[in-house]
Amino acid sequence: MALSFLLSLLAFHFAVSPAISTNSEGNALHALRSRLSDPTNVLQSWDPSLVNPCTWFHVTCDSNNHVIRLDLGNCNISGTLGPELGDLKYLQYLELYRNNIQGKIPKELGKLKNLVSMDLYDNKLEGKIPKSFSQLKSLKFLRLNNNKLTGPIPRELTALSNLKIFDVSNNNLCGTIPTDGPFATFPIQSFENNSRLNGPELQGLASYDFGC
Ligand SMILES: *[C@@H]1O[C@H](CO)[C@@H](O)[C@H](O)[C@H]1NC(C)=O
Ligand SMILES: *[C@@H]1O[C@H](CO)[C@@H](O)[C@H](O)[C@H]1NC(C)=O
């Protein structure tokens, strides 16, 4: 009796332990789903009762069942993004382009230290580009173009030495365009159609960004 109880406890432990490693990621994705409106049912397979989110459509995991890609570009979704996205700590690709997502970009996205690509272009995002993005040391592609973003380009982003592509065109940014670090290489097209953005940055004009 006692032995069979022990065995069933053990079996339970092994059945459940994979969930423990990814539960927080499944929870984060489920929280995202609850914020979104999904008229074409692209999130239908997102069943929170499964052990982990790795079988959900538009979600990719690595061999340890950690979420490394979220591919929801061009999916006709609307709604907002929340702080829980910052819990997807293994995420490398955040692809949410060409939707109708509105509201602010959560500063918690700055916690995604493994992120290689963040594509939020062609949405209705507003507010500022979070300064916390300066912590995204692996980031190579950052496309925020065609939204309604305001405020300056945070100078802190010049520390992103791996950044290869940066596009903030077609927003409502202001201030001056940085020229340090990777910003020395970005084409002027990356910044066009921001009515109050001046640049490239002139010596001594960084103070111009205060209150822009
Ligand atoms: C996108 O959603 C809208 C409703 O919000 C719907 O009218 C339209 O047909 C959808 N488009 C596609 C391509 O599914
Ligand atoms: C400039 O950007 C705004 C905001 O995204 C957009 O509505 C407008 O169509 C763009 N204008 C041009 C000429 O691309």
Side-chain angles (χ1 to χ4, degrees):
M1 187 76 148
L3 183 65
S4 72
F5 178 71
L6 201 68
L7 284 176
S8 64
L9 254 188
L10 267 177
F12 179 76
H13 173 76
F14 283 112
V16 163
S17 47
I20 292 167
S21 60
T22 49
N23 231 0
S24 65
E25 294 166 74
N27 290 345
L29 289 173
H30 196 246
L32 171 67
R33 183 186 182 180
S34 70
R35 294 174 185 278
L36 297 175
S37 161
D38 175 25
T40 42
N41 293 322
V42 298
L43 305 178
Q44 206 163 29
S45 66
W46 288 26
D47 176 356
S49 70
L50 296 180
V51 159
N52 63 49
C54 299
T55 56
W56 299 0
F57 288 165
H58 310 287
V59 174
T60 306
C61 292
D62 65 10
S63 54
N64 296 318
N65 289 342
H66 289 302
V67 175
I68 56 169
R69 290 192 70 111
L70 186 55
D71 286 287
L72 289 169
N74 221 351
C75 279
N76 213 0
I77 48 179
S78 57
T80 58
L81 305 179
E84 60 280 344
L85 272 180
D87 296 338
L88 296 171
K89 57 184 177 182
Y90 300 91
L91 198 66
Q92 296 173 21
Y93 292 83
L94 178 58
E95 306 299 326
L96 297 172
Y97 56 89
R98 287 194 202 113
N99 285 298
N100 288 305
I101 300 169
Q102 50 193 332
K104 293 186 174 171
I105 302 175
K107 64 177 186 305
E108 288 79 4
L109 292 185
K111 298 194 312 193
L112 303 175
K113 289 198 164 51
N114 294 299
L115 205 62
V116 172
S117 173
M118 188 194 309
D119 283 319
L120 304 180
Y121 60 88
D122 275 315
N123 276 291
K124 293 175 179 164
L125 293 163
E126 57 190 43
K128 295 185 174 181
I129 301 172
K131 285 191 169 92
S132 62
F133 281 9
S134 63
Q135 299 164 47
L136 300 171
K137 300 297 184 199
S138 307
L139 201 62
K140 289 185 180 161
F141 311 103
L142 179 55
R143 283 173 281 231
L144 304 173
N145 50 291
N146 297 73
N147 278 292
K148 301 196 281 188
L149 299 172
T150 52
I153 298 171
R155 282 298 175 277
E156 290 83 351
L157 300 190
T158 59
L160 296 177
S161 54
N162 289 312
L163 204 55
K164 299 280 181 284
I165 304 278
F166 178 82
D167 195 340
V168 291
S169 60
N170 304 308
N171 277 291
N172 199 16
L173 301 175
C174 60
T176 52
I177 299 171
T179 54
D180 293 338
F183 282 82
T185 66
F186 303 142
I188 198 73
Q189 286 79 8
S190 293
F191 306 95
E192 68 188 6
N193 189 25
N194 282 276
S195 55
R196 297 179 304 135
L197 193 61
N198 297 276
E201 184 176 64
L202 300 172
Q203 209 77 46
L205 263 191
S207 60
Y208 180 82
D209 288 349
F210 287 107
C212 85

